[in-house]
Amino acid sequence: MAGHSKWKNIQRRKNAQDAKRGKLFMKLAKEIYVAAKTGGGDPNVNAALRLVIEKAKAANMPSDNIERAINKAAGNQEHANYEEIRYEGYGPGGVAVMVVCLTDNKNRTAANVRAAFSKNGGNLGETGCVSYLFARKGWLVIAREGLEIDEDELLLQAIEAGAEEMETMDDSFEIYTAPEHFEEVKNKLQANGLTFVNAEITMIPQTYTTLEGDDLRKMLKLIDMLEDDDDVQEVYHNLDETAIP
C-alpha cells in the first residue's frame, strides 16, 4: 500500500467535497438512519451506529442532524426503507470500481450508476468482478503535525494495540487493522492520547492503476458523477491518484 495513500486521495478532492457539504450531510443522515434502524439507536451497544456517528462528527455534521436521523429510525414507520446495493465495474483504462448505494428505488439507482459508467468510458460488470481486488480494513489516520511521539514509538504502540501495518506519509501516519480489531486498536491508541483525522472501516485496493490523458479525465469525471448521486454512499476504486500531476 506504500505510496498510494487513500488519505491523500481524499485530500485531493476536499475542496470539491466542501462545496457539496449539504449533500454529504444528507448521505450521512441516511447512513445513520439505516444503522439505527438495523441495530438500535444506542451507539453504546450499536457499533455500526457508533462508527457512522464518529464519521459524521469528523465531517462537522451538526449534532441536531445526527439526533434527528436517529430519532427517525426509532419506530417511525413513515420514512423510507433503504436497501444497500453494491455495483462493480471498470472505469477507463481498466480501473476497478466498487459503488455502494443506499436506495429506496433500485431501478432509479441502477439506471443512474449505469449511465455514469457508460458516459465516461466504463462499464458495469457482474457481482464479484472487481471485489477480489480490494481488502476490507480498519483505517486510522494520525496527523504528523504537532505529534509528540516519533515514528518508531507510534509503530510500537500500534503493533501492541493489535494493528497489522503502519504507513508513513509526508503529513500523516496511516494505521491498518483487521476489521474485527478496529475498535480495539482505536480505543487503545486513544487511551494513549492519540487523535485521528480519519477513522473508519473501508475497502483498500491491493493493486493500483495509473492513468493519464483522456482516460484520466474520464475516470475523474466518473468518480465525480457517482459521488454526486444522492443514492451513492461510497465509491471505491484503484486509480492511483497520487500519480496525478
Side-chain angles (χ1 to χ4, degrees):
M1 288 180 280
H4 298 285
S5 165
K6 183 174 184 287
W7 180 241
K8 285 188 175 294
N9 296 350
I10 288 175
Q11 289 175 312
R12 175 174 289 277
R13 295 194 301 275
K14 186 176 186 302
N15 290 338
Q17 290 171 341
D18 285 347
K20 302 174 183 176
R21 188 166 296 275
K23 186 178 289 289
L24 172 62
F25 289 169
M26 181 186 67
K27 292 185 179 188
L28 287 167
K30 187 188 295 185
E31 196 171 343
I32 291 168
Y33 173 85
V34 171
K37 193 78 172 175
T38 303
D42 184 356
N44 293 317
V45 297
N46 184 344
L49 178 61
R50 184 164 60 248
L51 286 176
V52 71
I53 288 175
E54 291 178 359
K55 181 179 176 182
K57 288 180 176 178
N60 296 316
M61 185 175 180
S63 297
D64 287 348
N65 295 36
I66 296 173
E67 288 299 321
R68 189 156 52 245
I70 294 173
N71 291 336
K72 282 183 180 180
N76 192 334
Q77 300 300 316
E78 68 183 53
H79 297 280
N81 289 318
Y82 296 106
E83 180 178 357
E84 181 177 290
I85 304 175
R86 296 185 177 226
Y87 298 94
E88 299 181 32
Y90 298 92
V95 172
V97 184
M98 293 179 59
V99 186
V100 180
C101 303
L102 284 175
T103 181
D104 58 354
N105 187 324
K106 293 189 291 184
N107 292 336
R108 177 193 65 220
T109 305
N112 289 346
V113 171
R114 186 175 294 108
F117 274 86
S118 64
K119 288 179 180 179
N120 295 287
N123 60 280
L124 283 176
E126 298 294 329
T127 299
C129 68
V130 300
S131 58
Y132 71 96
L133 296 171
F134 297 81
R136 190 166 179 264
K137 296 285 185 181
W139 177 56
L140 302 158
V141 182
I142 300 172
R144 296 187 68 170
E145 184 177 0
L147 195 63
E148 295 183 357
I149 64 174
D150 62 22
E151 178 180 353
D152 290 340
E153 174 60 23
L154 179 57
L155 176 60
L156 180 61
Q157 288 190 23
I159 296 301
E160 289 180 343
E164 294 181 341
E165 180 181 358
M166 187 178 85
E167 184 176 349
T168 301
M169 310 304 296
D170 290 341
D171 57 358
S172 66
F173 294 106
E174 303 189 17
I175 297 169
Y176 298 91
T177 78
E180 62 271 21
H181 297 150
F182 171 75
E183 283 214 78
E184 178 184 1
V185 174
K186 178 174 175 287
N187 291 339
K188 286 181 178 179
L189 293 178
Q190 283 180 324
N192 290 344
L194 295 165
T195 58
F196 310 103
V197 293
N198 207 82
E200 63 182 273
I201 295 176
T202 187
M203 302 296 289
I204 302 294
Q206 302 305 287
T207 62
Y208 287 81
T209 300
T210 301
L211 297 181
E212 57 185 20
D214 194 48
D215 279 349
L216 175 59
R217 180 186 62 79
K218 288 181 178 179
M219 185 63 212
L220 293 177
K221 187 176 179 182
L222 171 59
I223 294 169
D224 285 342
M225 283 187 66
L226 289 170
E227 290 182 340
D228 197 45
D229 190 295
D230 291 345
D231 294 334
V232 174
Q233 295 296 115
E234 298 286 351
V235 179
Y236 302 113
H237 59 82
N238 70 342
L239 173 66
D240 182 8
E241 292 186 271
T242 62
I244 298 174

